[in-house]
Amino acid sequence: MTSGPQFRLLGPLDVRLDGTSVVLRAGKHRALLAALLLRPNRVVPVTELVEHVWGDTPPARTRGTLQTYVMRLRAALGDPSLIQTAPDGYRMRVDPLAVDVHRFADAAARGRSAAAADDLVTARKAFAEALELWRGPVLSDVPSETLYAENAPRLTELLMSVHEQRVDVELALGNHADLLPELFALTRDHPLRERFWAQLMLALYRSSRQAEALEAFRQLDRILEEQLGIDPSGELRALHQAILVGAPSLAAPVAEREPERVPASPMRLPDDIADFTGRAGHVERISGLVTGSVPIVTLAGQPGVGKTTLAVHVAHLLRDRFPDGQLYVDLRGYSLGPPADELDVLSRFLRALGVPPDEIPPDADEQSTMLRSLVSGRRMLLVLDNASAPDQVRPLLPGTASCRVIVTSRDDLRGLIAMNGARTVPVDVFAPDESAALLGQLLGPGDHAELAARCGHLPLALRVAAAYLAGRGDVTISGSPIELAYAALPPAPQRLFRLLSLVPGPDFTAEAASALADVDAEGLLTVLEIAQLVVSVSPGRFRFHDELVRYAAALREESDTPAEQQLAWTVLLNHYLRGVERCAELLYPGIVRLPTSSTGPAPRITTSAEALAWLDAERPNLTAAIQQAAEHGPAPMAWQLADALRGYLWIGQHVGEWLATAHHGLQAAQASAHRPAEAAMHANLGTLYLRLGEYALSVEHHNQAIDLYRELGDKDAEASVLNNLSLVHRRSGQLTEAKEALVRCLAMLHSADSISTGLYNLGQLSVELGEIDGAVDHFSQALALAPNADSHTYLGMALRLQGRLGEARDHLDRALEIGNVPAGEAETLENLAALELASGNPSAALSLASRALSLVADGGDPQVATSVRITLGDVHRALFDFDAAAELFGQALATARRIGYASGEVRALIGLAVVWRDLDRHPESRSAADEAARRSAELGLRALEIRARELIRP
């Protein structure tokens, strides 16, 4: 990105000068600026500008009015030379790369060039850079039909093309599984774009989800027929046929292994204020301490004294000294709402450092350890704002001499001094000359000594007072500046100011403010912003100082009745709930949710990308709102929000917020004795604890949900929870319990698809338990309901284990004829190899098992690869190649333990016990057999336990 002014049109228009946002409130000013920015360094004729700004209804004095607009735009931008006058129009003198539209086109072109040169890693980075520039629909707040018509379709088509090209690159890199959530969203948002469907089908196929890939084609076929009356393209039909037969050309490339992760270099500081004044001594001292030998510098002072402004200003000044990045967080230690959650802050830092969400550990101590590991040896600066106690700070400390920390607090945090080597820099009110300098900047030259004294030289009060006096002539301050600023407001912004103190989190949008006060709040927020009672922190988002929140809350308690306050609070919660519901419809429509009591319009969210951005921005408000509703009411909003939000928290792996919201939802449901909500919250926590590997807690919550659903007579919900409970038991090695849960689940299912899936799971369990006759029955029924390659393979496996080799061969051959994904074909070949071995044909078995291993050995399904290695080890033993057999069993054992494949672990141990006995390594053989017997007994693997104990006998 270039230095100097920055302009963004890919979303709401945003102008930034020296890191500070410039707000253009007039729509016609935004249209004029956009028209010039779209053609940088080129003269845009007056006639075209008039059409872009006024359309078909230009004013009488067109050229004069346009000149006035240009003059005002120059003043707003602070540099008259940016807009140059030409004989027949105007020119915007700006580096094209300072405009996101042109930076997007540049990054897209670099991505295409790199992809054409087969430099896939560079192409991926360029395409990602291009896509990150989009914040919403192009020109979304620029009121110009002609500009939109001329540019939006072109840029939107380029955006879609970049999405397609980036997905192609990721597929070529072997990252098909990671693409699936994005491709599901793209096909949902753009159902007529066939290339997205082709990419989804290929990604599903390569992820061993052949049936879903074929169903995606059928879904597209229906959409095209219903909406356009046409068939899918020839290219798509060819892909469909290739998936049907398992064409080798569709096989995934081996995923390129990335070098060991190098943490990102995030620059996450808030904007520095343009009119920073005074504090020269403080800046020098803090800078010296931070760049010297002091690991932690604490800025301590009273509210409103400017600690945050000072910390952020110093951090910006020192950016070059900390090239590996700066991180910032508001710990909200003194806010009316809950403080920032430790897990949330740590996970945000880890994500900023490039850690994928699914690799972030769920435990705060583990996250803190990972943070210290990632920043070790790197030169970074952390700004921890508004800390109320040392314990809020310690988990976030980097613990390395190369990283430094600035903390702001109302207290001196002596615990950090004693135990962590911190130094405190007291921050007092301004000196008189500093107050005079700030007021001179804000009000112009003059004698401001008396005003500064009345404000107590407190920076917050000085800014509010200056805003109050601006344009008021000879008016003077005769009391608290904040009280006077509030008193000077009309009733409507006064009421909004009071009610905004109900916002539970750190910031709010104009939409949320409108819902809260039941007004169109945009104009009122402008009034409050001019009065310095709220601050715009980013386009469309606002916040205000903790002390102003407390003042607003005190006024609310005095001026608004309890009923009015409760109504406003409930309406705000309803706004949040409608927003989450709208996002759920776009991001995870298949997740069943509790019915809600929400009413009214949802926030303006139209695409999956907008939904995810809205949830990311509102997450702190939503989690705080759920806690507030659980503790103070209305309770139904707590569980409804928690339930609607769980799909997003699962997708994003936001474990800390997931844990907190689920517990608060359960608390509210239990306090209200609302059984359906209580059951849903128990199921929610059961899923979360499964994700965390806390199997005992997961079983406990699943069982409580099952009991409640049974009381309620909700069989569909009970069946769903039983299916999840079976998965918990399987992962924890409790196979008998897993089977019992599946049997109970099956009794409640209705559709053929769900029943066949349940039978398939039950058959797999029966094989692991050694109940082969039952497995044959289950797989036979599944085959009748869903005849496919997998059904034939597993029925063939069960028949082979039953000794019915001829029937088994028929089904396995049929599976090969139908075709399957690589992992599925490998399973079929492995079972054919085992069948040949049982038939006394080890040479044929060797060929089949080797083919199977070639399909999954390098980057394929690790569980299938483990099983194939065990079978191949059996084949090598039959061929008297004991060393090769031992090596294969050892590889299988290591993988099985790494991935938690319990039955594979026992089978590999048995294989090792047998081959070591063949090699006269009797102590090792006995040890392996003992361990196999112990593990199989723990897991309930009866058939394997019998085999292991036979090896132990002398």
Side-chain angles (χ1 to χ4, degrees):
M1 184 180 295
T2 63
S3 59
Q6 300 293 320
F7 304 93
R8 301 197 290 177
L9 301 171
L10 300 177
L13 187 143
D14 182 34
V15 179
R16 292 193 174 258
L17 303 177
D18 298 323
T20 302
S21 181
V22 175
V23 179
L24 299 177
R25 307 198 182 281
K28 288 183 170 52
H29 291 175
R30 295 196 296 273
L32 174 60
L33 179 60
L36 294 169
L37 289 171
L38 286 164
R39 294 162 67 179
N41 303 313
R42 294 168 57 190
V43 174
V44 183
V46 168
T47 54
E48 291 187 25
L49 291 174
V50 169
E51 184 179 6
H52 292 325
V53 174
W54 286 283
D56 296 332
T57 57
R61 295 182 61 257
T62 302
R63 186 175 289 272
T65 306
L66 183 63
Q67 288 174 342
T68 301
Y69 282 10
V70 169
M71 178 184 68
R72 291 175 180 171
L73 200 52
R74 284 169 172 161
L77 297 177
D79 182 358
S81 68
L82 285 174
I83 303 177
Q84 297 177 334
T85 303
D88 58 346
Y90 295 92
R91 176 194 297 110
M92 189 78 186
R93 186 180 59 81
V94 65
D95 183 343
L97 294 184
V99 185
D100 61 354
V101 168
H102 309 296
R103 198 156 66 252
F104 168 70
D106 175 74
R110 285 189 280 111
R112 286 193 297 272
S113 297
D118 207 30
D119 184 355
L120 300 182
V121 174
T122 299
R124 167 207 275 170
K125 292 178 180 176
F127 287 139
E129 178 186 333
L131 293 174
E132 285 175 0
L133 294 169
W134 284 75
R135 300 166 293 114
V138 61
L139 302 171
S140 60
D141 65 345
V142 175
S144 172
E145 292 183 10
T146 57
L147 274 180
Y148 191 85
E150 290 176 8
N151 295 278
R154 171 181 60 84
L155 290 168
T156 302
E157 175 57 31
L158 182 55
L159 171 65
M160 293 297 99
S161 177
V162 170
H163 272 300
E164 291 170 344
Q165 292 162 340
R166 189 192 72 81
V167 171
D168 281 341
V169 167
E170 295 290 355
L171 287 170
L173 288 167
N175 299 327
H176 39 273
D178 295 338
L179 285 169
L180 288 173
E182 177 184 354
L183 285 169
F184 280 125
L186 287 169
T187 51
R188 184 169 56 247
D189 292 342
H190 310 282
L192 301 180
R193 203 162 185 101
E194 291 191 30
R195 191 166 170 189
F196 287 147
W197 287 98
Q199 292 168 329
L200 173 61
M201 290 165 62
L202 184 57
L204 285 168
Y205 176 81
R206 289 179 175 177
S207 301
S208 301
R209 295 164 69 172
Q210 181 188 29
E212 292 176 71
L214 296 173
E215 176 55 32
F217 178 82
R218 288 191 288 271
Q219 185 179 351
L220 172 63
D221 193 13
R222 289 193 297 271
I223 291 171
L224 293 177
E225 172 63 30
E226 291 169 1
Q227 297 194 25
L228 301 177
I230 62 174
D231 294 325
S233 66
E235 180 184 351
L236 220 28
R237 292 197 302 273
L239 175 61
H240 176 250
Q241 183 63 29
I243 289 173
L244 274 173
V245 300
S249 60
L250 300 183
V254 177
E256 288 193 8
R257 295 199 175 275
E258 301 231 356
E260 190 164 335
R261 178 185 297 124
V262 176
S265 300
M267 302 297 178
R268 299 296 175 90
L269 295 174
D271 292 338
D272 194 7
I273 62 171
D275 56 2
F276 184 86
T277 304
R279 304 293 194 195
H282 285 84
V283 169
E284 182 179 358
R285 185 178 180 205
I286 297 165
S287 299
L289 292 172
V290 170
T291 58
S293 59
V294 178
I296 306 166
V297 176
T298 300
L299 311 186
Q302 63 177 295
V305 80
K307 301 181 296 294
T308 299
T309 300
L310 177 58
V312 170
H313 181 69
V314 170
H316 275 281
L317 291 177
L318 298 178
R319 285 179 69 162
D320 291 343
R321 302 293 296 272
F322 297 96
D324 294 321
Q326 294 87 37
L327 294 172
Y328 168 89
V329 65
D330 181 357
L331 296 174
R332 306 184 66 238
Y334 303 96
S335 66
L336 289 179
D341 180 76
E342 176 185 334
L343 274 171
D344 176 41
V345 175
L346 283 166
S347 64
R348 273 193 281 158
F349 279 3
L350 292 174
R351 288 167 192 251
L353 290 165
V355 181
D358 59 351
E359 294 183 22
I360 295 176
D363 179 74
D365 289 339
E366 293 177 14
Q367 289 185 6
S368 186
T369 300
M370 179 180 278
L371 175 66
R372 289 193 294 273
S373 174
L374 285 173
V375 302
S376 178
R378 292 168 59 82
R379 290 184 292 166
M380 297 187 68
L381 178 63
L382 278 61
V383 179
L384 310 179
D385 198 15
N386 288 318
S388 60
D391 287 345
Q392 259 196 310
V393 173
R394 287 198 177 100
L396 309 176
L397 296 178
T400 179
S402 60
C403 293
R404 298 300 164 89
V405 182
I406 299 176
V407 183
T408 74
S409 179
R410 298 181 186 180
D411 305 297
D412 59 13
L413 303 182
R414 294 184 182 180
L416 291 180
I417 301 172
M419 298 181 62
N420 301 95
R423 291 278 293 276
T424 299
V425 175
V427 181
D428 205 344
V429 298
F430 271 163
D433 61 326
E434 293 175 319
S435 297
L438 177 60
L439 290 174
Q441 283 196 51
L442 298 174
L443 294 174
D447 183 2
H448 304 300
E450 183 180 352
L451 174 59
R454 288 185 179 276
C455 293
H457 299 286
L458 194 68
L460 175 64
L462 291 167
R463 289 186 177 276
V464 174
Y468 171 75
L469 291 172
R472 281 191 165 87
D474 296 331
V475 175
T476 59
I477 293 287
S478 58
S480 162
I482 296 174
E483 292 176 3
L484 288 171
Y486 171 77
L489 296 173
Q494 281 186 341
R495 176 174 174 270
L496 178 62
F497 176 72
R498 298 194 305 268
L499 293 179
L500 284 171
S501 64
L502 290 168
V503 173
D507 56 19
F508 52 88
T509 63
E511 277 188 313
S514 298
L516 178 67
D518 192 25
V519 294
D520 182 354
E522 287 205 23
L524 302 182
L525 286 170
T526 299
V527 173
L528 293 176
E529 187 180 6
I530 291 171
Q532 290 285 304
L533 295 178
V534 302
V535 177
S536 174
V537 291
S538 63
R541 299 199 76 84
F542 301 84
R543 68 187 308 165
F544 46 6
H545 194 282
D546 286 347
E547 283 308 292
L548 294 177
V549 176
R550 294 179 183 280
Y551 177 63
L555 290 171
R556 171 171 51 80
E557 293 292 339
E558 293 174 5
S559 306
D560 302 285
T561 68
E564 289 171 334
Q565 296 180 56
Q566 184 63 28
L567 175 62
W569 168 240
T570 304
V571 169
L572 178 62
L573 290 176
N574 183 77
H575 166 79
Y576 287 144
L577 182 55
R578 292 292 292 123
V580 177
E581 287 178 327
R582 176 59 183 145
C583 294
E585 292 166 3
L586 291 165
L587 292 172
Y588 40 94
I591 295 181
V592 178
R593 304 189 302 277
L594 286 168
T596 69
S597 56
S598 64
T599 57
R604 295 186 294 271
I605 304 167
T606 58
T607 67
S608 299
E610 290 177 9
L612 198 58
W614 189 89
L615 288 168
D616 286 342
E618 294 291 350
R619 188 170 75 243
N621 290 319
L622 295 170
T623 53
I626 291 169
Q627 178 177 344
Q628 191 87 347
E631 295 175 352
H632 305 290
M637 285 293 188
W639 69 67
Q640 289 173 21
L641 273 168
D643 183 67
L645 198 59
R646 63 190 164 90
Y648 160 72
L649 298 175
W650 175 75
I651 290 170
Q653 305 295 329
H654 300 290
V655 173
E657 294 94 330
W658 191 355
L659 193 63
T661 56
H663 275 297
H664 288 309
L666 179 60
Q667 169 193 336
Q670 289 174 331
S672 304
H674 194 287
R675 291 290 181 261
E678 190 177 343
M681 291 300 102
H682 277 303
N684 187 4
L685 283 164
T687 304
L688 171 59
Y689 283 120
L690 171 61
R691 155 77 175 81
L692 296 176
E694 298 280 356
Y695 297 127
L697 284 170
S698 182
V699 168
E700 178 185 334
H701 283 288
H702 275 111
N703 280 330
Q704 291 187 66
I706 289 166
D707 291 343
L708 286 164
Y709 282 130
R710 188 179 300 116
E711 288 177 19
L712 294 165
D714 190 340
K715 290 189 175 182
D716 290 338
E718 184 181 350
S720 176
V721 178
L722 279 166
N723 185 64
N724 291 342
L725 178 61
S726 173
L727 178 59
V728 179
H729 284 315
R730 284 189 72 175
R731 290 209 182 159
S732 60
Q734 298 173 307
L735 301 187
T736 302
E737 291 85 347
K739 180 181 176 181
E740 290 172 357
L742 264 180
V743 170
R744 289 164 60 193
C745 171
L746 267 169
M748 300 178 185
L749 298 175
H750 307 292
S751 72
D753 285 344
S754 62
I755 293 172
S756 65
T757 301
L759 287 166
Y760 168 82
N761 292 335
L762 194 54
Q764 290 279 63
L765 265 175
S766 297
V767 170
E768 292 188 7
L769 290 166
E771 300 170 355
I772 306 305
D773 292 346
V776 170
D777 289 341
H778 300 319
F779 287 133
S780 296
Q781 294 175 55
L783 178 62
L785 289 167
N788 55 43
D790 285 335
S791 299
H792 282 289
T793 294
Y794 285 105
L795 179 54
M797 173 189 65
L799 289 167
R800 173 180 63 80
L801 293 171
Q802 206 176 40
R804 297 158 64 180
L805 302 187
E807 295 172 73
R809 186 184 299 277
D810 290 342
H811 283 287
L812 294 169
D813 287 342
R814 178 61 183 142
L816 285 181
E817 290 172 10
I818 294 173
N820 207 336
V821 295
E825 184 179 348
E827 287 184 295
T828 306
L829 290 167
E830 179 205 350
N831 277 282
L832 278 168
L835 189 151
E836 293 291 356
L837 190 60
S839 303
N841 302 314
S843 296
L846 178 64
S847 175
L848 290 163
S850 298
R851 283 173 58 195
L853 188 59
S854 70
L855 291 171
V856 291
D858 196 0
D861 186 309
Q863 182 165 318
V864 175
T866 299
S867 185
V868 171
R869 284 192 172 95
I870 292 169
T871 298
L872 189 56
D874 289 334
V875 173
H876 277 284
R877 178 177 174 270
L879 292 168
F880 303 102
D881 188 352
F882 300 132
D883 290 334
E887 183 177 350
L888 286 161
F889 290 137
Q891 292 172 355
L893 178 62
T895 305
R897 285 175 169 166
R898 177 174 58 81
I899 65 175
Y901 178 21
S903 62
E905 177 187 357
V906 175
R907 287 174 59 206
L909 284 167
I910 290 172
L912 281 170
V914 172
V915 77
W916 279 336
R917 184 184 61 186
D918 294 333
L919 292 167
D920 292 328
R921 295 170 58 179
H922 296 292
E924 293 99 322
S925 174
R926 177 60 184 263
S927 175
D930 284 340
E931 188 174 356
R934 179 183 60 80
R935 286 289 287 142
S936 55
E938 288 175 357
L939 299 165
L941 303 171
R942 296 190 188 94
L944 292 175
E945 182 184 358
I946 292 170
R947 287 178 58 192
R949 295 202 181 282
E950 287 174 349
L951 291 169
I952 297 172
R953 293 174 188 163

